[in-house]
Amino acid sequence: MNLAQYIDHTLLKATATEADIKQLCSEAIKYQFYAVCVNSCYVSLCKQELAGSKVNVAAVVGFPLGATSTASKVFEARNAVEHGADEIDMVINIGMLKDQKLAQLEEEIKQVKQGIGNKVLKVIIETCYLSDTEKRQATELCIKAGADFVKTSTGFGNGGAEVKDIELMKEVLQGQLKIKASGGIRDYQTALQYVQLGVSRIGTSNGVAIVGGQQDKVQDY
C-alpha cells in the first residue's frame, strides 16, 4: 500500500528553522505526502515552497497544551487560514474537559470551526491524559461542534496513538468524522496497521522512513 497520501509530514519542534521547514516541504513534494503540518508562523513559507504542488498545509493551533483562550485559538486559526493554511489541527482545553465543562468545550471547538469556514478542522484530544469516558466525551463533542477529524495526540504528551483508542473513537464516531492517528508512528508496519484500522490520516515526522518501508527510531516531532 502507498501510505504517502495518508501522511501529514510534520515538524513542530521549537528549534525548527526556515531551512528545516524548506526541507520538510521538499520532502513532501518528493514523496507526494498529503500535507505538511507546521506551527502557524511557517504557513506562508510553506505555501511559497509548495506552490505548484498538490501538498496541503496544516497548521497547529493552541499547541501543544491547549490551554490558551478560546479567542486566541480562533484568532490563530483565522490568521493561519488567511496566510494559506488548508487545515487546522487544534488542541482542546484538556483542563476544561477534566472539569466537565462540556458545553464550554463544545463552544470552543465550534468557534474555531466557524472561524475557518470550509477549511478542515482536526481536533487533538490528547488521549494519553484522558480516561476512556473522557475520550468518549471529547469525541462526541467533536461531532456536535462540527469538526472534520478527531486526532489522538500532539506528540508532546506522555503517550501517542494507541490501537485501543482508535477502536474507541470508531465506536463513538460511527463514520461521522474521520480519525487522525499521531504520536509514536515511526515505521511502515505501524502506519499500515492504523490505516487498516480505518484511520484517514497519519501525523508523523518520520514520513520518509515510513514510505521507504524502513524503521526509524528518531523521536516523533
Side-chain angles (χ1 to χ4, degrees):
M1 178 186 286
N2 178 15
L3 294 178
Q5 278 295 294
Y6 289 88
I7 291 175
D8 286 354
H9 194 37
T10 302
L11 180 56
L12 298 168
K13 291 179 179 177
T15 54
T17 63
E18 286 195 4
D20 295 330
I21 297 296
K22 287 179 179 180
Q23 180 179 342
L24 184 82
C25 292
S26 177
E27 291 170 349
I29 293 169
K30 178 178 179 180
Y31 293 98
Q32 299 180 351
F33 294 131
Y34 187 87
V36 295
C37 185
V38 296
N39 285 296
S40 59
C41 65
Y42 290 121
V43 169
S44 295
L45 176 61
C46 288
K47 290 303 283 190
Q48 176 184 312
E49 293 297 309
L50 296 168
S53 78
K54 294 181 179 180
V55 182
N56 292 285
V57 178
V60 294
V61 164
F63 196 87
L65 302 179
T68 50
S69 69
T70 296
S72 66
K73 288 180 183 179
V74 173
F75 176 85
E76 187 178 15
R78 282 180 176 161
N79 186 66
V81 167
E82 286 169 4
H83 284 84
D86 303 291
E87 303 184 345
I88 297 296
D89 291 31
M90 71 165 282
V91 187
I92 64 164
N93 188 313
I94 299 160
M96 200 179 284
L97 177 61
K98 294 284 185 185
D99 283 334
Q100 291 293 285
K101 295 181 178 178
L102 303 183
Q104 222 173 309
L105 187 54
E106 180 184 342
E107 181 62 23
E108 175 172 277
I109 299 168
K110 191 178 294 182
Q111 284 190 33
V112 173
K113 178 58 181 174
Q114 290 172 346
I116 64 173
N118 63 357
K119 302 299 183 182
V120 170
L121 177 63
K122 309 189 202 91
V123 180
I124 307 170
I125 66 172
E126 199 69 294
T127 50
C128 63
Y129 296 137
L130 307 181
S131 67
D132 283 354
T133 296
E134 290 165 341
K135 291 168 194 172
R136 289 180 183 278
Q137 290 174 327
T139 302
E140 288 166 356
L141 289 177
C142 290
I143 298 170
K144 292 178 182 178
D148 301 286
F149 277 78
V150 183
K151 178 178 172 181
T152 60
S153 320
T154 61
F156 283 79
N158 57 21
E162 293 189 20
V163 168
K164 64 182 179 64
D165 291 333
I166 302 302
E167 291 173 341
L168 181 151
M169 288 175 176
K170 282 177 63 180
E171 182 187 330
V172 174
L173 291 171
Q174 294 294 305
Q176 295 178 78
L177 304 183
K178 296 177 181 179
I179 300 173
K180 177 175 174 179
S182 61
I185 303 172
R186 304 184 180 96
D187 61 81
Y188 178 85
Q189 288 302 326
T190 305
L192 180 62
Q193 179 184 23
Y194 282 113
V195 170
Q196 290 174 335
L197 276 170
V199 162
S200 298
R201 207 77 65 79
I202 299 287
T204 180
S205 58
N206 291 287
V208 174
I210 287 170
V211 297
Q214 302 164 354
Q215 185 158 352
D216 191 331
K217 297 297 186 182
V218 178
Q219 185 174 352
D220 253 321
Y221 300 149

